[in-house]
């Protein structure tokens, strides 16, 4: 009976959103299993902004930075780094490529991506610099049973991970909003100044589950 009560208490504690201020997720190895699944109760978005920071020495292959899937679209909102330095923003399985963003190795990078269904336009901000705005997908909202994964790229809803697309390194300060942030707000995030936390995903109150070897550690701030 005591063991049952302990398990119930541990389960309840695991479900409580955690304040990850000053923390980072470390993805220490190539794998097709280890990942962080982030939970949100929201099931529809007409606009999205995602911001996060990452640190890696990957340079000779592709990798996923942020993967949001629904049963209808495995790439409903995907931020993806290509081997040639191109950043792909994949919305509702439609892709736009953004070039000219230098991915230095073993330094912290800040990335924000925005998309709005009404205009169909997407944009990538990288280390304080905006890309061109490009048409990706318009007229339909992201909608369905939403699964968000860090560390892997979903080729099916919640799975079909590929070692050749996994992320190895560290991630921190993950936020998501259900609207497009203004350039001023994005610059505040990029500069690590005071900003309004994400109203969908908030690093200071994050509901997540870890599968495999992913560590939650104190953030190493050198290079930010």
């Amino acid at each position: 009976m005591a063991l049952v009560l302990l398990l119930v208490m541990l389960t309840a504690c695991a479900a409580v959103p955690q304040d990850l201020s000053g923390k980072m997720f470390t993805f220490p190895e190539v794998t097709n299993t280890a990942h962080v699944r982030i939970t949100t109760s929201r099931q529809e978005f007409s606009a999205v902004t995602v911001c996060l920071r990452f640190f890696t020495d990957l340079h000779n292959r592709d990798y996923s930075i942020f993967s949001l899937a629904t049963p209808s679209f495995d790439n409903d909102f995907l931020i993806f780094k290509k081997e040639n330095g191109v950043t792909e923003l994949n919305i509702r399985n439609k892709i736009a490529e953004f070039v000219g963003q230098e991915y230095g190795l073993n330094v912290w990078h800040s990335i924000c991506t925005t998309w709005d269904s009404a205009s169909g336009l997407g944009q990538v901000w990288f280390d304080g610099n905006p890309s061109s705005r490009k048409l990706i997908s318009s007229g339909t909202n992201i909608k369905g049973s939403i699964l968000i994964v860090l560390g892997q790229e979903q080729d099916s809803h919640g799975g079909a991970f590929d070692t050749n697309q996994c992320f190895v390194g560290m991630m921190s300060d993950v936020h998501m909003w259900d609207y497009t942030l203004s350039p001023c707000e994005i610059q505040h995030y990029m500069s690590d100044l005071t900003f309004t936390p994400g109203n969908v995903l908030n690093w200071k109150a994050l509901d997540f589950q870890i599968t495999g070897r992913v560590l939650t550690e104190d953030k190493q701030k050198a290079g930010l």
Side-chain angles (χ1 to χ4, degrees), residues 1 38 48 62 97 99 104 108-109 111 123 127 131-132 134 154 158 163 175 183 189 196 208 210 216:
M1 183 65 179
I38 306 177
V48 173
D62 306 344
E97 293 188 340
V99 301
W108 282 103
H109 293 297
I111 188 167
Q123 188 172 30
D127 290 345
S131 71
S132 298
K134 295 187 176 183
Q154 301 176 77
T163 55
H175 290 267
Y189 174 89
T196 302
F208 66 92
I210 290 177
T216 303

Side-chain angles (χ1 to χ4, degrees), residues 52 60 87 129 153 179 182 218:
L52 60 84
N60 59 355
T87 302
N129 299 310
E153 195 266 315
Y179 57 92
S182 69
D218 291 337

Side-chain angles (χ1 to χ4, degrees), residues 110-127:
S110 297
I111 188 167
C112 289
T113 59
T114 64
W115 169 77
D116 177 71
S117 174
S119 67
L121 297 180
Q123 188 172 30
V124 176
W125 289 72
F126 191 76
D127 290 345

Side-chain angles (χ1 to χ4, degrees), residues 37 66 79 83 109 113 145 179 182 185 187 190 198 209 222:
R37 179 177 293 190
F66 182 94
I79 309 170
E83 179 182 356
H109 293 297
T113 59
S145 177
Y179 57 92
S182 69
E185 290 172 311
Q187 290 290 6
M190 292 278 172
Q209 293 179 322

Side-chain angles (χ1 to χ4, degrees), residues 9 23 39 48-50 73 117 137 168 191 195 217:
M9 290 174 65
K23 301 291 184 179
T39 302
V48 173
T49 301
V50 171
F73 297 97
S117 174
S137 176
V168 179
S191 301
F195 63 93
E217 302 184 291

